[in-house]
Amino acid sequence: MDDATRDDRRQTDDRRQTGEDRQTGEDRHGPATDADGPSTSAGRSAQPQSGSGPRPFHVIRAGSARPFVAEADLRVSSAHAEPLARDIADLLTRQLADGGCFLILEVEDGSGRDLGGYVQTLALPDGALLAECAGERYIAYTLEQLTEIARLGWPRPAEPPVTPSDVAGNFSVLWDEPNVVEAAQLLALTLIRVHGLERPEQLDIVVGGSPIAA
């Protein structure tokens, strides 16, 4: 994916997360913000609750002075579950510190072609963390993939829809008091076991939104 395409895409995703889009949860990307419901093993259900060459490696570590949304070309170091979860935990730590911003982790084929699989998170103003996995509206999952999604602890969207996440058709989990290690493990395993992540360069990372002022 070249720089111009990436810039255009980020601008589009930023627009999708603001104003009315974020309120309704109707876009493919952008976790919804309204959630309330029973506990699950992964947190609280959100139901009723070719470029010119390789990109530079850049993983954000906790404690960086730059706003999370100002970072560009974020990367992970590995597609193996444990190190991938550590990298994602660092990203979530930054996201929660900024507040009010979203993070999209999307699987590509390594040359910039979107394969459709993604997970995404939104840091809410009260310190909670909402996570979503792409719903069946966007991906024709196999039975094996749906079984794995359920095994990992992602609840299905409510029918009829109750929350914005349900309206968007995504699987969703909400942590009132986020444990970034637990959340990162869920996201990492979903990317690998469900969405087929095999190499770190396949993961496209997008951040956006407006950080909450301290």
Side-chain angles (χ1 to χ4, degrees), residues 43-61:
R44 184 156 63 85
S45 167
Q47 303 179 37
Q49 123 110 157
S50 313
S52 56
R55 292 173 291 185
F57 170 64
H58 188 55
V59 174
I60 290 302
R61 299 294 173 187

Side-chain angles (χ1 to χ4, degrees), residues 66-157:
R66 295 184 64 190
F68 187 53
V69 296
E71 302 294 349
D73 203 24
L74 298 173
R75 307 302 300 162
V76 295
S77 61
S78 174
H80 295 290
E82 188 173 340
L84 176 61
R86 285 197 299 267
D87 287 343
I88 293 175
D90 286 336
L91 294 170
L92 295 179
T93 298
R94 290 292 313 284
Q95 181 185 20
L96 288 165
D98 274 15
C101 53
F102 66 85
L103 168 68
I104 301 172
L105 305 173
E106 188 162 25
V107 179
E108 299 179 342
D109 66 358
S111 64
R113 184 170 65 89
D114 179 8
L115 296 181
Y118 67 90
V119 295
Q120 56 192 9
T121 58
L122 177 66
L124 301 177
D126 62 0
L129 181 70
L130 175 66
E132 292 184 345
C133 171
E136 294 177 83
R137 181 180 303 173
Y138 314 111
I139 297 178
Y141 287 116
T142 65
L143 178 59
E144 289 75 14
Q145 286 174 306
L146 290 172
T147 300
E148 189 62 37
I149 288 172
R151 182 182 295 121
L152 289 171
W154 292 100
R156 282 183 173 274

